[in-house]
Amino acid sequence: MRKYFCTVLFVMAATVSFAQQNAGVKNDVLLLREASYDFGKIPQGKPVSHSFEMVNTGKEALHIENIHAACGCTTPEWSKAPIPAGGSTIVKVGYNAAAFGKFEKPVTIVYAGGRTKQFYVKGEVWQAPADIAPANASIQLLKSTNR
């Protein structure tokens, strides 16, 4: 009997928890058109950026409290004006591409009294050669014979 009671209690708690999580998703008023963006392969030292669109699906203006990235290599820019009901805004996210290798950086949006939502930028930075191309001896020979 005790096992049966514990099982029923566990199932009820899980159901209530799941229902609360789903209710929060249904009431979410901020819609992101993209959850991530892949820059692909970019040369080291060449900054890149991408614009993400956010839509207010609510019935009242939505204030974006903050948008922050996980590190200083990723910089979000956005309008501080509230997003009107049914309106949209753009968040421009830049990546400085200083370090080579693969990357995936989260960007967190804080809105509506502390709710958060994340999207990601990712890609791979390839390291350009440090020196210019070596001189081609054949070209020098051609130049001297054609004079």
Side-chain angles (χ1 to χ4, degrees):
M1 182 71 176
R2 183 176 265 177
K3 286 182 183 180
Y4 176 74
F5 179 73
C6 289
T7 303
V8 170
L9 186 61
F10 176 75
V11 169
M12 288 176 51
T15 304
V16 170
S17 174
F18 182 73
Q20 287 177 346
Q21 288 175 356
N22 282 346
V25 171
K26 290 178 184 176
N27 294 331
D28 195 2
V29 294
L30 183 65
L31 172 70
L32 296 172
R33 295 283 186 197
E34 299 176 272
S36 68
Y37 181 77
D38 189 347
F39 287 112
K41 292 188 176 189
I42 53 178
Q44 185 176 18
K46 180 185 176 210
V48 292
S49 64
H50 180 73
S51 296
F52 290 85
E53 183 181 10
M54 299 186 305
V55 179
N56 177 1
T57 61
K59 296 179 181 174
E60 297 178 7
L62 178 65
H63 177 71
I64 302 298
E65 296 165 18
N66 193 13
I67 301 178
H68 60 275
C71 71
C73 60
T74 309
T75 53
E77 298 175 14
W78 73 98
S79 170
K80 307 302 189 244
I83 307 169
S88 65
T89 190
I90 298 293
V91 177
K92 182 179 176 183
V93 178
Y95 181 73
N96 70 9
F100 70 94
K102 290 186 178 188
F103 67 91
E104 183 173 9
K105 304 294 181 180
V107 178
T108 303
I109 305 166
V110 182
Y111 66 101
R115 287 185 176 178
T116 61
K117 191 169 273 201
Q118 283 189 328
F119 58 92
Y120 296 84
V121 292
K122 60 184 176 177
E124 184 175 358
V125 178
W126 56 273
Q127 189 173 18
D131 296 331
I132 60 172
N136 188 336
S138 300
I139 291 180
Q140 295 302 326
L141 178 65
L142 285 173
K143 285 183 180 180
S144 66
T145 57
N146 286 334
R147 285 186 182 183

